[in-house]
């Protein structure tokens, strides 16, 4: 099980399907801009990602007549969710780095512990370019003694949020209420 969005899978699919993925792609582009200086793989990935971003913007935002209140509201919500994810990933990265330092370990040591062979793969995981697996995060929790709530993101896709809202409405249980905060908070 993957624990969050995978930029490389989006690039492989050659398609950005919604506003949330678009916002995530914009954040990933900024991360890749920094990482590409040290690794040609990240540079190639960024070029492909930027092409997808441009294609999405041309399809979804170029025609001003297609932009309505719903579209803007969806964009703003997606931007908030993507930013919460970015903050979560950055906080998790800093927490892991701090614990690695405490244990006198390197990221390469952590890669070995997790069973990953590539230095660039470990960098992708730490920077949120690729998602950690649930197994990776459980191992990090056990080895580095990091609270699991600091490691596992609790973000839901737009589709899952809509499904949950609909189910709660259908169940019609007064004690069960979902607020906007329940759906996007970390």
């Amino acid at each position: 099980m993957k624990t969050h969005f995978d930029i490389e899978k989006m690039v492989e699919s050659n398609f950005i399907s919604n506003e949330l993925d678009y916002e995530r792609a914009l954040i990933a582009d900024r991360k890749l801009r920094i990482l590409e200086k040290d690794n040609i793989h990240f540079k190639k990935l960024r070029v492909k990602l930027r092409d997808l971003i441009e294609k999405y913007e041309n399809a979804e935002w170029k025609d001003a007549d297609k932009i309505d209140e719903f579209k803007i509201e969806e964009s703003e919500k997606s931007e908030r969710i993507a930013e919460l994810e970015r903050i979560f990933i950055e906080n998790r990265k800093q927490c892991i780095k701090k614990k690695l330092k405490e244990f006198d370990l390197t990221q390469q040591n952590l890669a070995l512990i997790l069973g990953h062979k590539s230095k660039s793969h470990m960098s992708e995981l730490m920077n949120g370019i690729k998602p950690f697996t649930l197994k990776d995060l459980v191992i990090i929790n056990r080895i580095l003694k990091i609270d699991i709530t600091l490691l596992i993101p609790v973000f839901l896709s737009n589709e899952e949020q809509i499904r949950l809202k609909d189910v709660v409405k259908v169940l019609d249980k007064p004690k069960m209420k979902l607020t906007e905060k329940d759906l996007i908070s970390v």
Side-chain angles (χ1 to χ4, degrees):
M1 175 183 154
K2 300 292 185 189
T3 58
H4 73 271
F5 182 69
D6 189 336
I7 279 296
E8 287 197 339
K9 285 203 189 290
M10 176 194 285
V11 169
E12 287 172 18
S13 76
N14 201 31
F15 185 66
I16 295 176
S17 61
N18 57 54
E19 278 299 307
L20 182 55
D21 286 351
Y22 168 69
E23 293 295 338
R24 289 167 168 162
L26 292 173
I27 289 169
D29 177 57
R30 292 192 304 264
K31 288 180 184 179
L32 289 169
R33 185 182 69 223
I34 295 164
L35 297 172
E36 74 180 2
K37 295 172 186 167
D38 300 325
N39 189 312
I40 189 73
H41 168 72
F42 294 138
K43 187 172 188 148
K44 290 177 184 177
L45 185 62
R46 184 171 183 234
V47 167
K48 292 176 185 175
L49 182 62
R50 290 180 67 80
D51 288 343
L52 289 180
I53 290 169
E54 184 177 352
K55 190 164 70 171
Y56 183 84
E57 287 172 344
N58 287 336
E60 297 295 324
W61 290 98
K62 192 171 188 177
D63 185 355
D65 295 332
K66 287 184 178 179
I67 301 170
D68 58 9
E69 283 182 41
F70 174 76
K71 180 96 173 140
I72 291 174
E73 189 176 302
E74 177 190 19
S75 175
E76 289 171 352
K77 181 179 179 183
S78 296
E79 187 177 352
R80 286 191 313 270
I81 292 170
E83 180 60 12
L84 287 171
E85 289 176 346
R86 185 198 66 75
I87 291 167
F88 178 88
I89 290 167
E90 182 60 29
N91 289 340
R92 178 177 63 192
K93 175 183 167 181
Q94 294 308 319
C95 187
I96 292 170
K97 283 181 151 190
K98 180 181 173 189
K99 285 292 191 169
L100 288 174
K101 191 173 184 176
E102 282 179 30
F103 284 88
D104 195 28
L105 295 169
T106 65
Q107 274 187 212
Q108 283 183 301
N109 297 143
L110 182 57
L112 184 62
I113 291 167
L114 298 176
H116 301 304
K117 295 175 174 43
S118 163
K119 183 179 179 180
S120 66
H121 180 69
M122 195 65 221
S123 178
E124 289 172 321
L125 294 172
M126 292 290 287
N127 287 292
I129 303 301
K130 281 189 174 180
F132 280 104
T133 64
L134 185 54
K135 178 181 156 191
D136 288 342
L137 295 173
V138 169
I139 291 170
I140 291 169
N141 161 260
R142 301 279 169 84
I143 295 291
L144 299 179
K145 310 296 185 224
I146 298 173
D147 184 339
I148 200 75
T149 61
L150 300 174
L151 297 173
I152 298 177
V154 292
F155 313 113
L156 299 172
S157 68
N158 284 338
E159 296 81 16
E160 193 64 20
Q161 290 180 38
I162 292 166
R163 187 190 71 74
L164 281 175
K165 285 179 184 177
D166 291 345
V167 168
V168 168
K169 192 181 287 185
V170 168
L171 290 174
D172 193 29
K173 301 290 183 187
K175 292 181 182 178
M176 185 184 298
K177 294 179 184 176
L178 279 177
T179 66
E180 193 70 18
K181 186 176 184 240
D182 293 328
L183 296 171
I184 65 171
S185 66
V186 291

